[in-house]
């Protein structure tokens, strides 16, 4: 079995890239793991988010801005093709603060980034009655909120469902429950799985999340990534009362309140802890006091993918040309730009995005 591109990893990153390549007329095979694989998609908060990203890396902030600007068209095309409503809302998002000191510190950082982005970083501060008019459920401890107008959220499970449907409708081959052990190259790349199956491809994309820690060095990548545990809570379904999302809580399109998330560097540990979920719940109740009386339905933890500096990595292998590493911490936010613009980068087209600052070369200087 031969294909133009073989993608190792079928999460949000791999599926978005596959969708974009299929739209360009390529043949694509996705070789994915099983249910026991570590998947960042299990813990995704569903934010399509700009604020707070790239405070010290304006190129990363801009990359997120480009993707959020493409998200409306991306979601509409997926919905038209599959009938799946992704629940996308892009009405802005909040950064809540419980003190003036915290607020001013963040505003200074946002102001500096806004200047580096040429003024394209739209936000305003909401206080008192103005804030509570927008969000009546906000508690008295909330001092103020920064409303960033480029933010929003989506149902990440519906996004994955729609991508699975449309990737296969477009002719992509999806092969789950395969554990890739080796990749070799002669005239083509050959992927060998633990089962003994082999797959050939002209080019290969490693988007296996934490799986890149093992496979990356075998393909010539440094792959300096690590797991980050994120614990998340979901409540019973409620009538709509949260207007816009925040990093503390958001109301999903189906009515439940998603609360999150922890950021814990504890290796490959997916345990749910009392301290973790209690801290999340307390912060959510402090922000939205009415949540104190709402039933929790589920708590869980998943491992996200984090590079050494937190930014994405886009790299062609220096030892195996035609092999690419694509990994990031914001797979949902960047799904649109991965689908729309990465195919041109693989082909080095003149209008392709300049991703040099996201290469692994940056780690040689640190």
């Amino acid at each position: 079995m031969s294909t133009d591109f073989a993608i190792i990893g079928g999460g949000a990153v791999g599926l978005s890239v596959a969708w974009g390549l299929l739209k360009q007329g390529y043949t694509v095979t996705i070789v994915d793991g099983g249910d026991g694989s570590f998947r960042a998609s299990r813990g995704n908060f569903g934010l399509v988010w700009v604020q707070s990203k790239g405070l010290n890396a304006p190129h990363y902030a801009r990359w997120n801005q480009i993707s959020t600007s493409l998200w409306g068209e991306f979601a509409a095309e997926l919905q038209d093709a599959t009938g799946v409503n992704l629940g996308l809302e892009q009405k802005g998002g909040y950064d809540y603060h419980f003190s003036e000191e915290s607020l001013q510190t963040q505003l200074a950082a946002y102001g500096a980034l806004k200047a580096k982005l040429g003024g394209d970083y739209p936000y305003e501060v909401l206080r008192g009655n103005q804030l509570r008019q927008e969000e009546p459920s906000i508690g008295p401890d909330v001092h103020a909120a920064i409303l960033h107008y480029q933010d929003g959220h989506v149902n990440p499970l519906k996004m994955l469902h729609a991508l699975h449907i449309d990737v296969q409708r477009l002719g992509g081959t999806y092969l789950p429950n395969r554990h890739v052990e080796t990749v070799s190259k002669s005239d083509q790349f050959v992927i060998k799985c633990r089962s003994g199956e082999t797959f050939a491809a002209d080019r290969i994309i490693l988007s296996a999340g934490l799986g890149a820690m093992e496979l990356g060095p075998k393909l010539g990548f440094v792959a300096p990534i690590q797991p980050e545990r994120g614990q998340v809570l979901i409540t019973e379904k409620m009538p709509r009362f949260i207007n816009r999302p925040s990093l503390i809580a958001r109301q999903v399109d189906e009515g439940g309140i998603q609360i999150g998330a922890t950021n814990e560097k504890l290796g490959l540990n997916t345990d749910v802890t009392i301290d973790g979920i209690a801290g999340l719940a307390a912060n959510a109740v402090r922000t939205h006091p009415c949540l104190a009386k709402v039933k929790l339905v589920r708590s869980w933890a998943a491992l996200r993918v984090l590079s050494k500096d937190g930014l994405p990595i886009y790299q062609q292998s220096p030892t195996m040309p035609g092999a690419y590493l694509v990994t990031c911490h914001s797979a949902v936010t960047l799904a649109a730009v991965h689908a729309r613009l990465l195919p041109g980068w693989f082909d080095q087209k003149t209008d392709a995005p300049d991703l040099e600052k996201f290469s692994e070369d940056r780690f040689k200087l640190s």
Side-chain angles (χ1 to χ4, degrees):
M1 179 180 181
S2 182
T3 188
D4 293 328
F5 281 90
I7 298 178
I8 302 175
V13 176
L15 287 171
S16 300
V17 172
W19 188 86
L21 290 169
L22 288 162
K23 287 283 187 176
Q24 296 298 315
Y26 289 105
T27 57
V28 179
T29 297
I30 302 170
V31 184
D32 200 11
D35 290 340
S37 301
F38 294 115
R39 294 185 183 274
S41 299
R42 293 189 180 120
N44 200 289
F45 206 56
L47 297 177
V48 180
W49 213 247
V50 171
Q51 67 169 292
S52 76
K53 294 182 179 179
L55 292 178
N56 298 310
H59 60 287
Y60 179 46
R62 179 66 73 197
W63 189 233
N64 282 279
Q65 288 178 319
I66 293 170
S67 196
T68 58
S69 72
L70 297 173
W71 244 102
E73 179 184 316
F74 175 59
E77 190 167 346
L78 275 174
Q79 181 172 338
D80 289 344
T82 66
V84 178
N85 185 340
L86 276 62
L88 176 67
E89 293 184 357
Q90 290 185 288
K91 302 184 298 182
Y94 297 114
D95 178 5
Y96 288 117
H97 291 269
F98 299 100
S99 72
E100 183 67 19
E101 181 182 9
S102 169
L103 175 67
Q104 291 303 322
T105 298
Q106 195 72 334
L107 285 175
Y110 283 2
L113 178 58
K114 184 173 183 176
K116 294 175 183 177
L117 293 173
D120 181 18
Y121 198 69
Y123 62 87
E124 68 171 311
V125 177
L126 302 182
R127 303 171 183 265
N129 291 335
Q130 185 184 17
L131 174 57
R132 284 161 180 82
Q133 184 176 359
E134 293 291 327
E135 299 293 338
S137 68
I138 291 300
D141 284 354
V142 177
H143 177 72
I146 303 173
L147 170 59
H148 196 291
Y149 287 102
Q150 293 176 320
D151 293 334
H153 62 147
V154 71
N155 187 315
L157 297 180
K158 290 182 178 178
M159 183 197 82
L160 286 171
H161 182 47
L163 282 169
H164 268 286
I165 293 172
D166 213 31
V167 160
Q168 293 174 82
R169 181 189 67 84
L170 291 167
T173 300
Y174 177 68
L175 302 173
N177 302 311
R178 267 76 170 183
H179 181 91
V180 175
E181 288 195 325
T182 63
V183 178
S184 59
K185 184 183 180 184
S186 53
D187 294 335
Q188 288 185 304
F189 289 94
V190 177
I191 298 171
K192 183 177 180 181
C193 299
R194 182 177 293 168
S195 63
E197 293 175 282
T198 59
F199 308 98
D202 295 329
R203 288 186 275 182
I204 188 170
I205 299 167
L206 179 59
S207 62
L210 295 174
M213 292 191 298
E214 177 184 353
L215 281 175
K218 296 179 181 180
L219 297 175
F221 300 111
V222 179
I225 59 176
Q226 60 183 326
E228 180 186 76
R229 185 174 72 183
Q231 299 185 58
V232 185
L233 311 175
I234 192 78
T235 75
E236 62 184 322
K237 296 178 181 179
M238 303 285 293
R240 174 69 62 173
F241 73 92
I242 295 180
N243 188 34
R244 295 185 179 96
S246 72
L247 293 173
I248 295 171
R250 73 181 189 98
Q251 189 158 19
V252 305
D253 58 321
E254 296 165 334
I257 310 302
Q258 190 171 3
I259 299 167
T262 60
N263 303 94
E264 305 165 275
K265 296 178 178 62
L266 298 168
L268 300 176
N269 184 324
T270 58
D271 292 343
V272 175
T273 66
I274 295 296
D275 287 346
I277 62 176
L280 293 175
N283 204 30
V285 169
R286 187 182 185 192
T287 308
H288 302 277
C290 62
L291 288 174
K293 298 180 180 180
V294 176
K295 293 180 181 179
L296 286 176
V297 174
R298 186 183 170 211
S299 62
W300 71 98
L303 298 179
R304 305 189 194 95
V305 183
L306 197 65
S307 70
K308 186 177 179 181
D309 60 4
L311 275 60
I313 300 173
Y314 306 107
Q315 177 74 49
Q316 181 170 198
S317 171
T319 60
M320 299 178 72
Y324 305 87
L325 174 63
V326 177
T327 187
C328 71
H329 189 58
S330 300
V332 170
T333 297
L334 297 178
V337 80
H338 287 165
R340 296 297 193 198
L341 300 186
L342 273 194
W345 177 71
F346 295 128
D347 287 339
Q348 299 183 326
K349 292 184 177 180
T350 56
D351 60 349
D354 181 1
L355 301 179
E356 183 177 357
K357 290 184 178 180
F358 293 111
S359 78
E360 292 189 331
D361 290 344
R362 69 188 191 265
F363 301 114
K364 297 177 183 178
L365 304 175
S366 59

